[in-house]
Amino acid sequence: MMKLEKEIKVSHQVDVVLQILADPGFTIPRIFPNINRIKVDGEKFEADGKVVLSSYHLTGRVFPGYNEVKYVFDYDNDKGGVLKISKVNENVIRITLEYDSSLIARIGTFILNSNLNKLEKNINEDIRLERIKRKI
């Protein structure tokens, strides 16, 4: 198993941030590269993405908890991983992505890291806009 971890400072209440990050339609395209289709059905989701010439398919389920949101996913129907977003304190969340190393061969740590950095840079504005949209 491979693991990526990043702590991100947020300017919104962590409870609200976790509530929004518990939506696969919001979170999956921000973590995984080049998602061109996502279908959410309650707690289940399916997504298709493409990196360079390689396509991939994710299926999974989200488990929202009190101080943590956990996504359990499979990609290409046989390998899996876990994405955990947890509250560190009132201003910080920790994103942990654990996955089978063959995902690296397909997507690459560099791209996943780049997406986490982009999420860190844009999270407060993205959450602000999402709060307006959802009236939270």
Side-chain angles (χ1 to χ4, degrees):
M1 276 296 216
M2 306 284 291
K3 185 175 180 177
L4 275 177
E5 197 168 81
K6 182 160 203 70
E7 288 195 356
I8 298 177
K9 192 170 172 27
V10 292
S11 61
H12 300 272
Q13 297 107 318
V14 170
D15 303 352
V16 173
V17 172
L18 289 176
Q19 182 184 343
I20 290 171
L21 290 173
D23 174 2
F26 181 86
T27 302
I28 296 299
R30 284 172 172 78
I31 302 284
F32 293 94
N34 305 324
I35 296 290
N36 50 36
R37 181 191 75 87
I38 183 156
K39 182 176 153 236
V40 179
D41 181 11
E43 290 151 5
K44 295 181 185 163
F45 67 90
E46 273 187 56
D48 293 314
K50 190 171 189 162
V51 177
V52 191
L53 298 172
S54 185
S55 295
Y56 65 95
H57 181 75
L58 290 172
T59 55
R61 184 176 203 122
V62 60
F63 298 93
Y66 176 62
N67 280 328
E68 179 178 87
V69 175
K70 185 189 268 184
Y71 285 87
V72 177
F73 62 90
D74 293 326
Y75 52 95
D76 298 336
N77 299 321
D78 64 345
K79 299 159 194 84
V82 177
L83 169 65
K84 275 193 280 201
I85 305 163
S86 47
K87 174 179 180 174
V88 175
N89 60 42
E90 292 308 317
N91 304 98
V92 179
I93 59 169
R94 178 181 299 123
I95 298 178
T96 309
L97 183 60
E98 294 179 38
Y99 47 90
D100 180 291
S101 60
S102 59
L103 180 65
I104 294 285
R106 301 290 303 283
I107 297 177
T109 305
F110 174 76
I111 296 172
L112 288 169
N113 248 331
S114 163
N115 277 16
L116 287 176
N117 291 336
K118 204 182 304 170
L119 177 67
E120 179 179 33
K121 194 174 137 213
N122 301 329
I123 192 162
N124 290 314
E125 181 63 8
D126 288 354
I127 296 286
R128 187 183 76 78
L129 295 172
E130 201 64 23
R131 287 182 79 166
I132 292 167
K133 194 167 99 182
R134 298 175 187 214
K135 297 177 176 70
I136 299 177

